Amino acid sequence: MQEIRQNWQRTEIEALFALPMNDLLFQAQTMHRKYFDANEVQVSTLLSIKTGACPEDCGYCPQSARYDTGLERERLLPVDEVMAAARAAKEAGSSRFCMGAAWRSPKDKDLEQVVDMVKGVKEMGMETCLTLGMLSDQQTTRLKEAGLDYYNHNLDTSPEFYGSVISTRTYQDRLDTLQRVRDADINVCSGGILGMGEQQSDRIGLLQQLANMEKHPESVPINMLVQVEGTPLAGSEQMDHLEFVRAIAVARIMMPASYVRLSAGREEMSDELQAMCFFAGANSVFYGEKLLTTSNPGANHDKALFKRLGINIMNSDDGMTSEVKSDFTYKACSSGHHH
Ligand code: SAM
Ligand code: DTB
Ligand code: SF4
């Protein structure tokens, strides 16, 4: 049977979710090995270049102006500050630098400043990624010219559940932006969030949407909701962690050649849960102490974890594997406490 395909039926996806865990993980791991080095993980570093006061109402997001989350709003960062953060990310071993802004969509004047950031980061020899909200055709063209490698824009959940999470932009708006990114020949990074109180049918719906796009997104971030006090989704019931692992495995099987990123929520996960996610086929993470506004395991903790798992970090300059170099013994980091 053809492995990379865009005609996934709901019943097929339901059948994958219904497999015994060992059968599902075996299938996912087998697929993973056909397309990737099974012991290699791609690492990206995030930076919030414009924080807070967002006009949108995404129910999970600490940056929406509608919710009091105690977050300080900030202006668009100056280019030199962004360059300093990118340099530090590269030194830490990151191969991709992702810049995020709390916008509904970028203003053309602001986009020019972001273009300078993209050019500067590229000159350092890192891949660039942006997430700025909805884009017009003109804007995607401008970003392509600037040399942008990836654009992140998540579908977040199924079309059916979407309306109970966000009201200020539609599912179709998101699909339209993703199509513009694809048409401009920029790599697509798109995924979603689990643990928002959705049903398994919604997780199935999300994965079906992603896998049936005309081309699979090159990167598929799977976030576990980070519950932030003040947001409508804070207090959502914790999802079953094994169901989260299942979703990663199903994503791996449906989109075998894509990087599946174990994204937000790792700070709340045990090392053992993360290890299961890697076995299920996750092969990318956000690296560094901070996501956009919330915390992430520190680089030392991750290095120690990768060392314990024999996982190598994909190198930024040549796409080759570099040994995880760490003078940090994992014992100092395995207490279960995060930094
Ligand atoms: N404002 C832009 C937009 O939404 O298109 C870009 C930044 S936005 C923060 C990027 C993505 O981060 C969201 O689509 C969502 O999937 C994810 N995200 C935001 N808050 C989150 C949270 N509390 N937990 C998990 N993922 C989150
Ligand atoms: C994605 O899927 N996850 C990242 C990135 N794309 C932009 C964002 C996670 C944000 C988590 C909440 C925060 O730190 O503000
Ligand atoms: Fe704004 Fe993006 Fe947060 Fe939605 S997810 S409120 S668009 S920053």
Side-chain angles (χ1 to χ4, degrees), residues 46 61-63 100 131 152 154 189 192 221-223 226 228 261 263-264 286 291-295:
L46 268 173
C61 187
Q63 303 203 70
T131 181
N152 164 250
N154 291 338
C189 170
I222 307 289
N223 298 277
V226 178
V228 178
R261 183 174 307 130
S263 306
F286 284 122
L291 292 165
L292 290 173
T293 67
T294 64
S295 64

Side-chain angles (χ1 to χ4, degrees), residues 27-39:
Q27 210 174 305
Q29 179 65 206
T30 304
M31 196 61 100
H32 192 185
R33 281 163 190 268
K34 280 197 191 176
Y35 289 87
F36 290 100
D37 177 334
N39 302 307

Side-chain angles (χ1 to χ4, degrees), residues 60 62 101 103 131 133 153-154 156 169 193 223-226 264 292:
Y60 46 76
W103 290 326
T131 181
H153 199 64
N154 291 338
D156 282 345
R169 74 171 71 146
I193 310 178
N223 298 277
M224 167 98 86
L225 174 68
V226 178
L292 290 173

